[in-house]
Structure formats: structure tokens, C-alpha cells
Amino acid sequence: MGPGLIVMVGDNDAGGVSTYAQSGQNYGYSLLWVLLLLIPVLLVNQEMVVRLGAVTGVGHARLIIERFGKFWGAFSVGDLFLLNFLTIVTEFIGVSLALRYFGVSPYVSVPIAAVLLVAITASGSFRRWEQALFLFIAASVVLVPLAFLSHPYYGQIAYHFVVPGVQGGVNSTAVLLIIAIVGTTVAPWQLFFQQSNVIDKRITPRFIGYERADTTVGSFVVIGGAAAVEVVAVYAVRGTHLAGQFTSALGTARALESKSYVLGALFAIVLLDASIIGASAVTVSTSYAFGDVFNMKHSLHRKFKEAKGFYATYAAQVAVAAGIVLIPGAPLGLITTSVQALAGVLLPSASVFLLLLCNDREVLGPWVNARWLNIVAGIIISVLLLLSGTLMAGTLFSSLNSGLVALWLAAVFAVGAAVAVAVIRIRAGGWRRSASPRTATARAAVPRAERASWRMPPIALLKPVAWAPATRLAMLVLRGYLVVSVLLLIVKAVQLGRG
């Protein structure tokens, strides 16, 4: 146990708690179905990085740069650095809000949390760092009694888990929140973190089965925690004028305080605990990627003197992010939601690179994706693009019905997918020929017993990737689309900030 559990619980960070609380406070139980649909997304994405880490022994950032070149590597890693830094800011927002509930000034709580994070990570011992994270994960179990004490309506919860809907109807604001839920639950930083952490824990192909189990357990833990936060938020504002008026996670804690001071205190503790776990995991993810890009020693096994660059980048991120949170008058709740939505918008780009790497026979050999896995991953990417497209349309044309926009875009994606499959089938030599002969050949070439010891050859000896013109064009179109989506997301955030 380790990488899978930590990366998943790290997803229920300050941004996660805030986003799930907003979902419960503004939309009741009606968005619980989104969480259920995210379980396969989590499992598919993280299982692929587990294989990449165990089989290649190379970090995610370095693989992208080496296989696709510096141009595409700069886009992917640049997205990561920006998004991770903003995410770390939200973690310190969570620290400040949680301890403000107990009357502690942010000018005291934030610096202390920053020093604690650096002390935990810079010990030079992977084992001590992992054990410290396990302690914080154990503390998050307080969510279980908190949820049961929130008098949940079990029938409504069961109904909304399986029946999709949005309380009050679908609009661009609701779509923004759904994207934020996706972004905080399945964030790009997870891919980079778990692959590097698998390597740092020295997990090899023979242990992939255990790491898959670790990731599966973590997936159900994170979704259970997210649902518990929504249940608590619904109870906090039930029967009050605060329903539909989310401001921040501290506002939810204050609403709970009107029911019981103990419940409010427990929620603040959950928020603080989540912030520490998230800040540690996200910051380590960035430092791993920084080491990959600049070819520096980057391992939690190394002492500070052996990996100064690794620990220096970690400490610098923590210090700058903590300083930003202390700026007076910042709209902390809006910043948190916007950052989670940004993660959701940028996730398709990270998922596409992940999918390309997991179909690269030079990299994974007999461990390449099965055809069914490629189909599932393709559907996931299409749904993510559908959500960002709906947000774009709703932001540009506020009078449009977002539900109808989503249906039209879904039809367009379905037709596009059917055309793409037809073209691939025809170019592969006909409808009766297998659509993935290379995958089948790669798997058959190495006996099952030998797969456990198969490792990627030295990366410098691999044959270079040759993209077809159509593939390169598709990637450029995707990049342009996501740039426009990010700009419109900023516009939407500004609109919400103005009320």
C-alpha cells in the first residue's frame, strides 16, 4: 500500500472538500451521480500510470519529453507546473480557513503549516514521509462519524447516485461545478505523482497486481469521502437561508456550528487534514516533474545534500504559495472552485498523452493497453471535452440552454467517433481484420511468466515516435481548443466574482 492510496486520498484535498461542500450546499444530493461515474475514470487513468512507472522506471514528465519532443513536453509539463502551483495555493487556503474556525490567524496558521510540510518531506527518508502521510490519512476517517451524525436521507442518496440530474436545471454555472468536481477528483497531478512515486517506492512489474489493488482501494475511499462531504454540507444548510449560497468551506463549517459546535469543529479538522495531505502530494508531484525535466536527482530516499534541487523546489513552491494566501481580500472560495475547474479543463490533454504512451510498444512492450481499455479511455476523454465545450458555449451565449448544448455536442462527438472508427478500420485492411494486431502480437510475443520481468530498454535506445500528419493536426486542434476553454473559464470565473 502507498502510492495508490496516497494519490487518491490526496485528491480529497482542500479544493476537493470545498468543491464537494459547494455541490451539497447549492445542489443538495443531486450531483452524487457524478462521483459514481468518476470511479472508472480514476481506475483507468491511474492503472495506466502504475504500469508506466513499474515497467519503465522513468517519470511521466521525462517520458513525454523523450517520446514526443520538447515542444509537446513543454506544453504538458507547463500545464502541470501552472496548475500544481495554483492547487498548492488552494491547499493553504484550506489551512487558513480551517484554523480560522478555531480563531487562529492565517498569519500564524499558514507559516506553521508551511514549515511542517517542509519538515515532513525533507527528512531524507521515503519511509518516514509515507508513514506521516498514512497518519494524516487515518485522521480523515473522522468523516465517517461526521456523515452519520448529519442525519442523511438514505433513500434520496441512493436515488441520486444512480439517476443523473441537476437540482434547478442544467446551466453554465452547474456545468462549471461539475467540471470542478471532475477536476478535483481526477486531477492531472495524479498522473505525474503516482508514476514517480511507484518508481520511488521501487515497485517493479512483479508487484503490479498489488499496486492495482492499492489504487482500487484508494478509488473507493476517495469517492466515499467525497460523498460524505456532500452529505454533511446538505445537512449544514438544511432548512436555512444558506442553501444555495455557498461562499467557502469555512462558511459550511459555520453553518454546521449552528447545529452543533462539535460538528463544525470536526468539519474544520477534516478540511485541515485534507489540506496537509493534498499540499504534500501535489508539491512532491511538481518536484518529481521538475527533476525529470531538468535531469536532477529527485527521490525522497535521498538526503537534502544529495538532492538539493529537488528539496529546494519543494520549499520554494510551499513558501510562495503560502505568501499568496496571505494577500488581504482575495476571493478564496472562488479561487478554489476555479482552480479545480481548470484541472478538469486541462485533464483531456494529460489523458491523451497518457493514452499515447500506454499504446507505445517501444515503451511498454507486452504491457501495452488492451483494445477495450483504449475504448474506455477514449470515451472518458470525449466526455471531458463535452463538459468543457458546454461550459464554453454557456459562457459565450448565456441565453443558450446548457442541457440542449450538451446533447448536441454529445451527438457531434458520437458521429465523429463513428467516422474515426470507420476510417481506422478501412485503413487497417477491412472490417474483418483485427483493429489492434500490434497489441495482440506484442502480448503474444512474451510469455505470461516473463511479463513480470520485462522492463523498458534504456530510453535513449528506443525508436523515435513518428506521428502521422493527421495525428499531429488533431493534437494541435486539441491544444487550441483547450487554450480557448481556459480563457473562457477565466471569463466565467470573473463573471461569478462580480455576482
Side-chain angles (χ1 to χ4, degrees), residues 24 27-33 150-165 167 227 230-231 234-235 238:
Y27 295 94
Y29 297 136
S30 68
L31 295 181
L32 285 173
W33 59 272
S150 296
H151 305 287
Y153 295 162
Y154 296 103
Q156 291 186 24
I157 291 172
Y159 174 83
H160 288 294
F161 257 125
V162 297
V163 180
Q167 182 176 295
E230 290 200 23
V231 167
V234 171
Y235 174 68
R238 185 182 295 159

Side-chain angles (χ1 to χ4, degrees), residues 75-402:
F75 274 127
S76 181
V77 178
D79 288 348
L80 177 79
F81 287 162
L82 172 63
L83 184 57
N84 277 15
F85 177 73
L86 293 174
T87 303
I88 297 165
V89 171
T90 67
E91 309 303 357
F92 282 107
I93 289 175
V95 170
S96 68
L97 295 178
L99 290 178
R100 193 182 298 174
Y101 180 86
F102 300 104
V104 181
S105 168
Y107 295 98
V108 175
S109 61
V110 171
I112 290 176
V115 172
L116 175 64
L117 282 168
V118 173
I120 290 173
T121 305
S123 66
S125 168
F126 182 96
R127 177 64 66 186
R128 280 197 292 271
W129 171 84
E130 189 177 63
Q131 289 173 342
L133 266 293
F134 281 160
L135 286 176
F136 285 106
I137 289 171
S140 67
V141 176
V142 72
L143 258 176
V144 176
L146 182 57
F148 281 111
L149 290 171
S150 296
H151 305 287
Y153 295 162
Y154 296 103
Q156 291 186 24
I157 291 172
Y159 174 83
H160 288 294
F161 257 125
V162 297
V163 180
V166 179
Q167 182 176 295
V170 179
N171 53 50
S172 60
T173 303
V175 173
L176 175 66
L177 182 59
I178 292 173
I179 293 176
I181 293 173
V182 174
T184 192
T185 311
V186 194
W189 70 263
Q190 289 179 282
L191 310 180
F192 292 81
F193 172 85
Q194 189 168 3
Q195 185 167 332
S196 292
N197 206 237
V198 162
I199 297 165
D200 216 4
K201 196 175 171 73
R202 298 164 182 170
I203 292 172
T204 58
R206 61 180 293 213
F207 297 110
I208 282 181
Y210 295 98
E211 188 51 31
R212 283 171 173 160
D214 175 33
T215 301
T216 302
V217 170
S219 298
F220 283 94
V221 168
V222 70
I223 296 302
V229 172
E230 290 200 23
V231 167
V232 172
V234 171
Y235 174 68
V237 299
R238 185 182 295 159
T240 72
H241 70 283
L242 296 174
Q245 303 296 322
F246 177 83
T247 54
S248 68
L250 177 61
T252 304
R254 295 291 188 203
L256 273 173
E257 186 180 21
S258 66
K259 311 277 187 181
S260 164
Y261 177 81
V262 173
L263 294 182
L266 287 176
F267 189 81
I269 291 171
V270 167
L271 177 60
L272 175 63
D273 185 64
S275 303
I276 297 296
I277 297 172
S280 180
V282 176
T283 312
V284 168
S285 168
T286 309
S287 297
Y288 276 143
F290 194 86
D292 277 341
V293 172
F294 296 101
N295 199 26
M296 299 187 311
K297 295 177 180 178
H298 50 292
S299 171
L300 292 168
H301 287 287
R302 295 184 180 275
K303 304 293 184 183
F304 182 82
K305 292 182 179 180
E306 300 173 322
K308 292 180 180 178
F310 175 68
Y311 291 114
T313 56
Y314 183 95
Q317 293 173 79
V318 168
V320 176
I324 289 175
V325 174
L326 298 178
I327 297 175
L332 303 184
L334 181 60
I335 290 174
T336 301
T337 302
S338 299
V339 171
Q340 308 316 311
L342 179 62
V345 168
L346 293 177
L347 184 60
S349 177
S351 298
V352 166
F353 281 112
L354 174 62
L355 192 58
L356 291 172
L357 286 172
C358 285
N359 283 279
D360 190 337
R361 288 193 302 152
E362 292 290 317
V363 170
L364 284 183
W367 291 97
V368 292
N369 278 2
R371 181 171 56 183
W372 69 267
L373 189 56
N374 288 331
I375 293 172
V376 173
I379 293 172
I380 290 170
I381 293 170
S382 297
V383 171
L384 293 172
L385 291 173
L386 170 66
L387 287 172
S388 62
T390 305
L391 177 64
M392 286 174 61
T395 303
L396 286 173
F397 309 102
S398 57
S399 61
L400 290 178
N401 184 307
S402 295

Side-chain angles (χ1 to χ4, degrees), residues 423-447:
V423 171
I424 292 171
R425 287 275 193 171
I426 293 171
R427 293 185 63 179
W431 289 92
R432 295 185 179 181
R433 183 174 172 179
S434 171
S436 56
R438 293 184 178 182
T439 300
T441 302
R443 290 178 178 276
V446 179

Side-chain angles (χ1 to χ4, degrees), residues 58 62 64 106 189 203 264 274 332 338 340 346 419 435 448 458 472-473:
V58 175
R62 188 183 171 199
I64 291 175
W189 70 263
I203 292 172
L332 303 184
S338 299
Q340 308 316 311
L346 293 177
V419 171
R448 186 184 182 113
R472 187 175 300 277
L473 177 62

Side-chain angles (χ1 to χ4, degrees), residues 9 41 51 147 400 476:
V9 178
V41 180
R51 273 184 288 128
L400 290 178
L476 289 171

